[in-house]
Amino acid sequence: GFLDHPGLEILVATGWRDLCTVFHRGCPASAEVCTKSNAHLLDSLIDPRQPVVEACDHGLVDCAVPIIIKGKHIASLATGQLLLEKPDLERFRRQAKTFGFDEQKYLEALEEIPVVSEDQLRKVTTFLGSLAILITQLGYARLKSKEEALHLAEEVAERKRAEQAAQSSELKHRILHENMRDAFVSVAMSGEILEFNGAYQDMLGYTREELFTKPYTDLTP
């Protein structure tokens, strides 16, 4: 994750594990624990060359470095949701009970967490942190004036508004089609079925999986 500082807003995230996104961050009580652990880790960062490794209060390990530009800590890069040794299953069973998780699914998600060495974790985080600083410095150098920075912020805000509008439009589109009484189907020139609504499925009596595997011409002359 790439987070701003000190606000801790997540700017970029990839590779997050279900154990964190579905369980730890999906429950208000456990998410509060995540927030405190994150703040403690990221507030302790001082030197970009010295990554800090720390176990979160849920039992996973994170590693982070500060992104410092012109002496100011503007962001942090963190890798994590890892383990340095095999997990204590009893601890995670207790956590499942404490936060009301489905124990079986919680432990299945735990199995997906990789076990790595601390040395490997530090090396990877240091490299990614150096790369982030380089990219950030290049970006900072291009912001020659407050006007350019303001213009960039306006572009980002407009892009977010456009994305939200597109998502809203797509949702309305899907709701409309799913509630139409008339059958609706969208077909590629090759005859492949791309999209259809419930009325079309009910009319033909096939499952969704079956419809997506049948050429349109086999269903409708």
Side-chain angles (χ1 to χ4, degrees):
F2 191 64
L3 306 89
D4 77 339
H5 184 84
L8 301 185
E9 178 185 357
I10 298 171
L11 306 175
V12 179
T14 184
W16 285 31
R17 302 288 174 170
D18 286 349
L19 192 72
C20 288
T21 57
V22 175
F23 292 98
H24 295 163
R25 294 176 182 271
C27 166
S30 56
E32 185 176 350
V33 176
C34 291
T35 300
K36 291 180 179 178
S37 293
N38 287 347
H40 184 272
L41 170 64
L42 300 179
D43 285 345
S44 66
L45 303 179
I46 299 175
D47 188 341
R49 297 165 297 180
Q50 296 295 326
V52 175
V53 177
E54 188 171 284
C56 76
D57 290 337
H58 288 309
L60 300 182
V61 175
D62 298 311
C63 184
V65 291
I67 307 302
I68 298 176
I69 303 298
K70 292 189 177 295
K72 184 177 181 181
H73 183 179
I74 64 168
S76 302
L77 183 137
T79 58
Q81 301 178 351
L82 305 169
L83 293 166
L84 300 182
E85 57 186 18
K86 290 184 178 180
D88 177 357
L89 295 182
E90 288 305 316
R91 170 181 180 164
F92 285 92
R93 287 193 178 98
R94 290 194 299 270
Q95 287 183 170
K97 183 176 181 180
T98 298
F99 297 111
F101 300 148
D102 182 306
E103 182 179 304
Q104 180 178 350
K105 293 182 178 179
Y106 185 60
L107 294 180
E108 287 175 355
L110 176 63
E111 292 178 359
E112 300 297 322
I113 302 298
V115 178
V116 303
S117 70
E118 182 172 337
D119 180 63
Q120 180 185 9
L121 179 58
R122 287 182 180 275
K123 286 180 178 178
V124 170
T125 306
T126 300
F127 170 76
L128 292 175
S130 299
L131 182 61
I133 288 175
L134 174 61
I135 294 173
T136 305
Q137 287 174 333
L138 292 173
Y140 184 85
R142 297 184 63 183
L143 297 176
K144 298 179 180 179
S145 66
K146 291 183 179 180
E147 289 76 14
E148 287 179 325
L150 178 60
H151 179 66
L152 178 62
E154 290 174 346
E155 286 185 347
V156 171
E158 180 59 32
R159 189 178 305 126
K160 286 185 177 180
R161 286 193 292 267
E163 290 173 353
Q164 291 172 350
Q167 291 173 354
S168 177
S169 176
E170 180 182 0
L171 178 60
K172 290 178 181 178
H173 166 83
R174 292 192 176 280
I175 291 175
L176 174 63
H177 284 175
E178 284 304 316
N179 287 278
M180 286 173 58
R181 294 184 178 180
D182 294 328
F184 169 87
V185 60
S186 176
V187 186
M189 293 297 292
S190 63
E192 176 188 3
I193 293 179
L194 303 176
E195 183 184 5
F196 55 86
N197 65 356
Y200 183 76
Q201 180 181 347
D202 293 342
M203 180 179 72
L204 296 178
Y206 290 105
T207 65
R208 289 185 60 83
E209 292 74 16
E210 289 173 334
L211 284 175
F212 279 124
T213 60
K214 293 181 177 293
Y216 178 70
T217 51
D218 288 356
L219 301 172
T220 306

Coordinates of all heavy atoms in Angstrom, one line a residue, residues 35-46 51-55 61-65 76-79:
T35 N -6.7 0.1 12.1 CA -6.3 1.5 12.0 C -5.3 1.9 13.1 O -4.3 2.6 12.7 CB -7.6 2.4 12.2 OG1 -8.6 2.0 11.2 CG2 -7.3 3.8 12.1
K36 N -5.4 1.4 14.3 CA -4.5 1.7 15.3 C -3.1 1.1 15.0 O -2.1 1.8 15.2 CB -5.0 1.2 16.7 CG -6.2 2.0 17.2 CD -6.7 1.4 18.5 CE -7.9 2.2 19.1 NZ -8.4 1.7 20.3
S37 N -3.1 -0.1 14.5 CA -1.8 -0.8 14.2 C -1.1 0.0 13.1 O 0.1 0.2 13.1 CB -2.1 -2.2 13.8 OG -2.6 -3.0 14.9
N38 N -1.9 0.4 12.1 CA -1.3 1.1 10.9 C -0.7 2.4 11.4 O 0.4 2.8 11.0 CB -2.4 1.4 9.9 CG -2.7 0.1 9.1 OD1 -2.1 -0.9 9.2 ND2 -3.8 0.2 8.4
A39 N -1.4 3.1 12.2 CA -1.0 4.4 12.7 C 0.3 4.3 13.5 O 1.3 5.1 13.3 CB -2.0 5.1 13.5
H40 N 0.4 3.3 14.3 CA 1.6 3.0 15.2 C 2.8 2.7 14.3 O 3.9 3.3 14.5 CB 1.3 1.9 16.2 CG 2.5 1.7 17.1 ND1 3.5 0.9 16.8 CD2 2.7 2.2 18.3 CE1 4.4 0.9 17.8 NE2 3.9 1.7 18.8
L41 N 2.6 1.9 13.3 CA 3.7 1.5 12.4 C 4.2 2.7 11.6 O 5.4 3.0 11.6 CB 3.3 0.4 11.4 CG 4.2 0.1 10.3 CD1 5.5 -0.5 10.9 CD2 3.6 -0.9 9.4
L42 N 3.3 3.4 10.9 CA 3.7 4.5 10.0 C 4.2 5.7 10.8 O 5.0 6.5 10.2 CB 2.5 4.8 9.1 CG 2.0 3.7 8.3 CD1 0.8 4.1 7.4 CD2 3.1 3.1 7.4
D43 N 3.7 6.0 12.0 CA 4.2 7.1 12.7 C 5.6 6.9 13.3 O 6.3 7.8 13.7 CB 3.2 7.4 13.9 CG 2.0 8.1 13.5 OD1 1.9 8.5 12.3 OD2 1.0 8.1 14.3
S44 N 6.1 5.6 13.3 CA 7.4 5.3 13.8 C 8.5 5.4 12.7 O 9.6 5.2 13.0 CB 7.4 3.9 14.4 OG 7.2 2.9 13.4
L45 N 8.1 5.7 11.5 CA 9.0 5.7 10.4 C 9.9 7.0 10.4 O 9.4 8.1 10.6 CB 8.3 5.7 9.0 CG 7.4 4.4 8.8 CD1 6.7 4.5 7.5 CD2 8.2 3.1 9.0
I46 N 11.2 6.9 10.2 CA 12.1 8.0 10.2 C 13.0 8.0 9.0 O 13.1 9.0 8.3 CB 13.0 8.0 11.5 CG1 12.1 8.0 12.8 CG2 14.0 9.1 11.5 CD1 12.8 7.9 14.1
P51 N 13.8 0.2 6.9 CA 12.4 -0.2 7.0 C 12.1 -0.7 8.4 O 12.9 -1.3 9.0 CB 12.3 -1.3 5.9 CG 13.7 -1.8 5.8 CD 14.6 -0.6 6.0
V52 N 10.9 -0.5 8.8 CA 10.4 -0.9 10.1 C 9.5 -2.1 9.9 O 8.5 -2.1 9.2 CB 9.6 0.2 10.9 CG1 9.1 -0.3 12.2 CG2 10.6 1.4 11.1
V53 N 9.8 -3.2 10.6 CA 9.0 -4.4 10.6 C 8.2 -4.5 11.9 O 8.8 -4.4 13.0 CB 9.9 -5.7 10.4 CG1 9.0 -6.9 10.4 CG2 10.6 -5.6 9.1
E54 N 6.9 -4.8 11.8 CA 6.1 -4.8 13.0 C 4.9 -5.7 12.8 O 4.3 -5.7 11.7 CB 5.6 -3.4 13.3 CG 4.9 -3.2 14.7 CD 4.7 -1.7 15.0 OE1 5.7 -1.1 15.4 OE2 3.6 -1.3 14.8
A55 N 4.6 -6.5 13.8 CA 3.4 -7.3 13.8 C 2.2 -6.5 14.2 O 2.2 -5.7 15.1 CB 3.5 -8.5 14.7
V61 N 2.3 -9.6 9.8 CA 3.5 -8.8 9.9 C 3.4 -7.8 8.7 O 3.1 -8.1 7.6 CB 4.7 -9.6 9.8 CG1 6.0 -8.8 9.7 CG2 4.8 -10.5 11.0
D62 N 3.8 -6.5 9.0 CA 3.9 -5.5 8.0 C 5.3 -4.9 8.1 O 6.0 -4.9 9.1 CB 2.8 -4.4 8.3 CG 1.4 -4.9 8.2 OD1 1.1 -5.6 7.2 OD2 0.6 -4.6 9.1
C63 N 5.7 -4.3 7.0 CA 7.0 -3.6 6.9 C 6.7 -2.3 6.1 O 6.0 -2.3 5.1 CB 8.0 -4.5 6.2 SG 9.6 -3.8 6.1
A64 N 7.4 -1.2 6.5 CA 7.1 0.1 5.9 C 8.3 1.0 5.9 O 9.3 0.8 6.7 CB 6.0 0.8 6.6
V65 N 8.4 1.9 4.9 CA 9.4 2.9 4.8 C 8.7 4.3 4.6 O 7.7 4.3 3.9 CB 10.4 2.6 3.7 CG1 11.3 1.5 4.1 CG2 9.7 2.4 2.4
S76 N 3.9 7.1 2.9 CA 4.6 5.9 3.4 C 4.3 4.8 2.4 O 3.2 4.7 1.9 CB 4.1 5.6 4.8 OG 4.3 6.6 5.7
L77 N 5.2 3.9 2.3 CA 5.0 2.7 1.5 C 5.1 1.5 2.4 O 6.0 1.4 3.2 CB 6.0 2.5 0.4 CG 5.8 1.3 -0.5 CD1 6.0 1.6 -2.0 CD2 6.8 0.1 -0.1
A78 N 4.1 0.6 2.4 CA 4.0 -0.5 3.3 C 3.8 -1.8 2.5 O 3.0 -1.9 1.6 CB 2.9 -0.3 4.3
T79 N 4.5 -2.8 2.9 CA 4.3 -4.2 2.4 C 3.9 -5.0 3.6 O 4.2 -4.7 4.7 CB 5.5 -4.8 1.7 OG1 6.6 -4.8 2.7 CG2 5.9 -4.0 0.5

